[in-house]
Amino acid sequence: MNHRRIFLILAFALLHLPAPAQESVVEVDYMRPKKYIIGGVSVDGNNFYSDNQIIQVTGLTRGLEVTIPGDDLTGVLRRLWLQRLFEDVSVEIDHLSEARDSVYILLRVKERPRISRWTVSGVKTAEKKELEDRLNIRRGSEFSQYIDDTSKDIIKRYFAEKGFLKCGVETEVVKDSIVRNAIRVNFKVDKGDKIKIKEIHFYGNDHVKEFKLARSMKKTRSAKLYNFFVSKKFNEKEYINDKKSAVAAFNEQGYRDARIVRDSIYYLPPKEGKPANRLGIDLYFEEGDKYYFRDISWTGNSVFTTEALNSILKVEKGDVYDVVTMNKRLSGGGSESDYDVSKLYRDNGYLFFQLNPVETNIQNDSVDVEIRISEGKQATLNNIIINGNDLTNEKVVRRQLATRPGYLFSQTDFERSIREIASLGQFDSEAIMGDGGWSILPNQMNNTVDLIYNVTEKPSSQLEVSGGWGGNTFVATVGVSFNNFSTRRLFDKHAWKPVPLGDAQNLSFRLQTNGTYYTAFSANFTEPWLTGKRPTSLNLSAYYSRQTNSYLALNILRNDRQMEVYGFSASLGKRLKWPDNYFILYNGLSWQTYKLTNWYSGYFVFDDGISHNLSYTVNLSRNSTDQQIYPRTGSDISFSLQLTPPYSLFRKYTYDDSGNKVPVASWRDVDYDDWTAQQRFRWTEYHKWKFSAATYSKLVGDLVLMTRAQFGVLGYYNRNWGYSPFEGFLVGGDGMTGYSTYGNEVIALRGYENYSLTPYKLTSYNSNGYAYAGNVYDKFTVELRYPIILKPSSTIFALAFAEGGNCWSDIREFNPFIMKRSAGVGLRIYLPMIGLLGIDWGYGFDDSSKGGSQFHFVIGQQF
């Protein structure tokens, strides 16, 4: 009864509650679209993007008239999907206005998860860095199927370029447990085996040799022996270009209609237990007929005569129709030393010059060619812009340029300017000589051109801190070389970071010591442009070295026997205009003093006394190499003469047994065999001739052939006085001076022990009874060089060498056909902060006691 009463009371109360308002129900009739005015737009489900950002993408605005159903809302969905920001999108009608003429739209979205962290596994550190740059995926960005697919495709293409054609990539997605709606993405890479080309077969080449076709394909190479130094990886893009090059090889032989009928690429059967990672390629050609040049005519040439143009083209009637060589002689593309018609015009300012060779008639096997020229007007240099020199002063770069505002444009001067910048040593030579290192911006409206040189600074100063064990003792070396020093900024306190830099001057100091036994100090300064307006260089150097008979290994500390050398030199170098402006003439004066106290080393002719060396040096050199560290083209030639006053030719006295001067009739009557070492060598005299020539030739890609010939002779004015005890040549070994005694010039010849090829002659002036007597030498070197790394931070290249040479005590004994030969391999590493380091293994063939297998270490020099 009580339960029934309670139920009736509740039912009565519910009947008196206010009823909720009935919501507007929108019924969409797809057969009868209706127009509405948008009353408002709202968004639901968004976390990362604001309502306004999403609504702006849709294009929906309050007051806009839309048709429902219709293309208006369909377009909204399409625009939202195209953003690739959402996993799910829907457009709903929230409600209508009371008048049912306005619609309120609700956009429901589900955002894609964000990438909180992404990685690449299964690759090397360097590869990972390059992939990060290529992928360019940012943390916090959304992750979609499109990003997944494109990222995997980028990774696969990256490794395909490196020869990993079977590279696989798997995407690993893990939900981030810390960041809301975020994921961690890892691209797991399986590079697989590197796919290399083993065989390339040519079919249908009846008149073109297989070797010529193989060499024409620069990037697609088989495993033949002549391709030992080049990569055999397969690159699809390069393969397409190489097929065109192969057809061009037929064109060079006159087969203008040659074409590739078909080609096939296939995996060769693997060896048992080995994966299939070797490719074979078959190329089928159709040669067609062979053609010949008949009549060649020129039109539009007013600046240069037809005869002058024909002298460059070098094509005669009846020559094989070699369209490839013809185009090279017209527009360039051959070797750097070749001259072409385009360069002829561009060197004279005709930058807007154009030419077009046209086949005007083909009759039987003969072709008539008309070369149509549009010369245009000469272009004047307007702005010369230098970018990237953050440290080096702009004037340092500008003074190297052969291109100046107001000059006519010259292709040769432009190329020369690039080489001069590359050889400065302050900038990355590979960058300035690459495609991004320069720009030519012509303006045909006013017949001007702007040139832009984009330089990349590199560390050029070097710090040397080293220690070595030699002679049973420790030798410490400390040196510093500032190769971009600036004396102009010495008193600028803001420039000391750590020293004033920017003017391409060189300031270096070096100290080498092991305590009481040996100490050497040197200081050098070079100003490449002394006046600031002309390329006249100033070189100053001072040095001191001391060596005693202390022997730390036996705890012997004394200096009753010692040798001291100290001196100073100054020289001026001037760039010449004739025969060309690659020539530089140096003139220098130097003074040295050798002080020997009971010295018994056997290096010099005498043991006791002081000898002064006052000399004048003239040096004529020509350097046209494209860069300093790894030159590919050009030459480096040097000829020098160093001489002292001929003191003995003015001497008309001798000494008696008591040491008193005795007059004689002529300098020919002086008998120096009776003189003491102090009397005879107080003022040393000689004339020293040296010649060196090196050439660099690019063979294939970056493979470089270096050839060098060297010759030196130390002469005398007076046979009675004889050869100088100093300034001779020590031949053999690694070419390093060890203890810098300044008394002789060390010449490397790998494969033999240090100084082992230098004659050892009798002398009555030292207690040893013998002394080095290298007064004449020659040396010939051939090197093949191939780069491993060419970057501003480091340059590494491998080399293989063959060289020969010898040393004689007298010019009358000189015989260039008596040679000590050697061969070997080596490695060079250039680090900007340290300089050049290297190691060589050489084998000397011609002297078993001094040659054979030898290892040589190199610091700060090239052979």
Side-chain angles (χ1 to χ4, degrees), residues 16-299:
H16 288 79
L17 287 175
Q22 185 178 358
E23 294 184 1
S24 297
V25 178
V26 182
E27 295 181 357
V28 178
D29 189 347
Y30 288 91
M31 301 299 296
R32 297 178 182 179
K34 186 176 181 181
K35 293 184 178 180
Y36 295 93
I37 302 298
I38 296 178
V41 182
S42 58
V43 183
D44 182 52
N46 54 315
N47 296 310
F48 296 104
Y49 296 99
S50 66
D51 292 359
N52 288 335
Q53 287 177 308
I54 298 174
I55 293 172
Q56 285 177 359
V57 172
T58 66
L60 299 176
T61 58
R62 189 173 183 178
L64 180 69
E65 185 180 76
V66 295
T67 300
I68 301 176
D71 294 336
D72 294 330
L73 296 187
T74 305
V76 169
L77 284 172
R78 186 183 303 112
R79 285 191 289 272
L80 288 174
W81 274 117
L82 288 175
Q83 303 304 310
R84 299 191 179 95
L85 303 176
F86 310 104
E87 287 186 339
D88 190 20
V89 176
S90 65
V91 180
E92 301 177 7
I93 299 175
D94 188 47
H95 62 278
L96 298 177
S97 63
E98 293 182 1
R100 304 184 69 83
D101 59 352
S102 296
V103 62
Y104 292 84
I105 294 176
L106 174 64
L107 303 175
R108 293 190 185 275
V109 297
K110 183 181 180 182
E111 293 177 326
R112 296 187 186 276
R114 296 305 180 100
I115 302 174
S116 62
R117 182 184 178 187
W118 69 277
T119 56
V120 182
S121 61
V123 300
K124 298 178 181 178
T125 303
E127 294 171 339
K128 182 178 179 180
K129 188 176 185 306
E130 292 182 16
L131 284 172
E132 288 175 351
D133 294 336
R134 292 198 183 193
L135 293 172
N136 195 26
I137 301 177
R138 299 185 304 273
R139 287 186 178 181
S141 61
E142 65 284 343
F143 186 72
S144 64
Q145 188 63 43
Y146 172 79
I147 293 176
D148 185 18
D149 293 339
T150 54
S151 298
K152 288 191 290 188
D153 184 61
I154 289 172
I155 295 173
K156 289 178 181 179
R157 283 191 284 110
Y158 170 79
F159 283 107
E161 292 173 4
K162 294 180 173 292
F164 297 94
L165 303 183
K166 296 183 178 181
C167 175
V169 183
E170 181 183 343
T171 307
E172 298 177 337
V173 179
V174 178
K175 187 175 182 180
D176 196 310
S177 58
I178 300 175
V179 183
R180 181 168 169 261
N181 195 30
I183 57 175
R184 296 183 179 184
V185 179
N186 175 58
F187 296 104
K188 185 179 179 180
V189 179
D190 180 9
K191 294 190 291 187
D193 293 322
K194 197 169 200 177
I195 308 300
K196 294 185 178 181
I197 303 169
K198 184 178 182 181
E199 301 173 358
I200 300 179
H201 302 287
F202 303 100
Y203 302 94
N205 54 311
D206 300 329
H207 299 92
V208 180
K209 294 182 178 180
E210 180 178 322
F211 179 76
K212 182 175 179 63
L213 292 174
R215 298 299 288 171
S216 68
M217 302 176 73
K218 303 298 184 183
K219 299 294 185 180
T220 307
R221 298 295 183 88
S222 64
K224 297 282 189 180
L225 183 62
Y226 51 75
N227 292 325
F228 182 79
F229 290 103
V230 295
S231 173
K232 289 86 177 175
K233 69 182 181 182
F234 178 80
N235 187 305
E236 187 175 358
K237 292 181 180 179
E238 297 295 346
Y239 176 61
I240 295 173
N241 295 329
D242 282 337
K243 287 195 293 183
K244 297 177 182 177
S245 299
V247 173
F250 285 92
N251 299 151
E252 288 185 73
Q253 300 293 324
Y255 297 94
R256 66 181 291 275
D257 300 327
R259 66 189 183 95
I260 296 177
V261 180
R262 70 179 188 274
D263 65 303
S264 59
I265 304 170
Y266 52 91
Y267 284 98
L268 296 172
K271 295 181 180 179
E272 186 176 353
K274 299 287 186 180
N277 57 6
R278 292 293 182 266
L279 288 180
I281 299 176
D282 293 340
L283 293 169
Y284 295 84
F285 295 93
E286 183 182 284
E287 288 184 337
D289 297 327
K290 189 171 185 176
Y291 291 83
Y292 300 87
F293 283 104
R294 190 168 65 177
D295 294 329
I296 299 175
S297 58
W298 301 78
T299 61

Side-chain angles (χ1 to χ4, degrees), residues 755-788:
Y755 317 152
S756 61
L757 303 182
T758 309
Y760 218 44
K761 294 293 184 179
L762 288 169
T763 176
S764 59
Y765 288 112
N766 70 25
S767 57
N768 220 25
Y770 290 88
Y772 285 117
N775 298 318
V776 185
Y777 89 96
D778 65 1
K779 178 186 171 185
F780 305 93
T781 303
V782 176
E783 271 188 8
L784 276 175
R785 300 177 173 183
Y786 190 77
I788 300 172

